[in-house]
Amino acid sequence: MLNILLPIETPELLLRKFRPEDGEGLYAYLSDPETVRFEPYGPLTREQACAEAQARAQARCFVAVERAGVLIGHLYFAVKGDCAELGYVFSPAYQGHGYATQAARALMNAAFSAGLRRVTAECALENPRSWRLLERLGMRRVSETPHSVCFKQDASGNDLWWTRLEYEIRREV
Ligand SMILES: CC(C)(COP(=O)(O)OP(=O)(O)OC[C@H]1O[C@@H](n2cnc3c(N)ncnc32)[C@H](O)[C@@H]1OP(=O)(O)O)[C@@H](O)C(=O)NCCC(=O)NCCS
């Protein structure tokens, strides 16, 4: 079993486990429709965010990212064997500063040092901030499948289909 020790400190951030009292912090960004546009769920209510914080405090695959005591986003890092799947959502107030890159890089480095061999990620071509982040992390695009992912509908109720991109990075040996 891979053992990534939290917390991890970077020059500007603290990566830590979620706590049951992170509900308000999660609500601050997961209630924003634009922030969750490419996620497989809609904006969270305050009650849902509080329940989510409780659940994440027990889960191993979510990492809270804090800056100066404020929850600014989270990483999803689901480890299966020697491979992990990476995901991320950051508060719009803290995007555009390199914090997601800094956080994901620190977590991936810790995981590779602990024995992980491969990290994968999926995102939509229509979400360039996401695939630009993956490319900043040195990940390689391994597939591009048009019209293959649908989480949401438009205002008229029509399904929105996106192009699914798959990325990966392997530990250098
Ligand atoms: C995907 C997401 C995490 C990317 O966030 P981000 O802020 O663009 O990524 P970073 O924190 O790495 O910041 C990079 C940006 O900061 C800028 N930046 C400033 N200082 C920087 C630094 N020291 N290092 C790196 N980038 C820096 C970069 O130029 C880049 O901006 P640009 O894309 O306009 O050129 C964010 O858009 C998000 O949470 N979106 C909503 C949720 C979502 O869609 N998740 C993915 C679903 S698949």
Side-chain angles (χ1 to χ4, degrees):
M1 189 66 183
L2 190 77
N3 192 18
I4 306 168
L5 284 183
L6 294 179
I8 296 172
E9 281 187 56
T10 75
E12 296 173 292
L13 307 171
L14 177 72
L15 277 61
R16 60 163 174 82
K17 292 179 180 166
F18 267 92
R19 303 178 191 127
E21 57 271 25
D22 281 323
E24 279 301 314
L26 273 182
Y27 179 67
Y29 62 96
L30 292 183
S31 58
D32 174 33
E34 195 49 37
T35 300
V36 300
R37 184 168 160 220
F38 291 97
E39 291 295 298
Y41 49 84
L44 266 53
T45 63
R46 178 168 272 117
E47 290 68 29
Q48 287 170 328
C50 289
E52 187 65 23
Q54 302 273 347
R56 290 186 183 193
Q58 305 301 324
R60 294 177 62 97
C61 56
F62 287 100
V63 175
V65 181
E66 200 179 285
R67 173 168 164 74
V70 176
L71 181 68
I72 67 163
H74 64 261
L75 300 172
Y76 170 80
F77 203 70
V79 179
K80 217 181 200 179
D82 59 7
C83 180
E85 185 185 346
L86 173 69
Y88 32 74
V89 181
F90 276 69
S91 162
Y94 292 90
Q95 292 181 27
H97 299 279
Y99 297 144
T101 301
Q102 195 178 130
R105 190 171 281 148
L107 186 62
M108 283 167 48
N109 285 345
F112 283 138
S113 298
L116 196 83
R117 287 182 183 276
R118 186 167 161 253
V119 176
T120 63
E122 285 185 12
C123 70
L125 178 66
E126 291 78 1
N127 188 4
R129 293 199 82 104
S130 183
W131 54 258
R132 287 209 303 264
L133 165 61
L134 296 174
E135 291 180 5
R136 268 193 298 279
L137 292 169
M139 296 184 73
R140 183 174 71 91
R141 189 179 293 185
V142 289
S143 77
E144 180 168 338
T145 316
H147 205 74
S148 59
V149 57
C150 173
F151 294 144
K152 303 275 161 81
Q153 284 76 38
D154 66 17
S156 314
N158 302 311
D159 284 347
L160 285 171
W161 286 94
W162 298 316
T163 294
R164 181 204 307 269
L165 305 180
E166 290 182 308
Y167 278 81
E168 72 158 23
I169 186 168
R170 290 167 190 266
R171 185 179 62 184
E172 288 168 20
V173 281

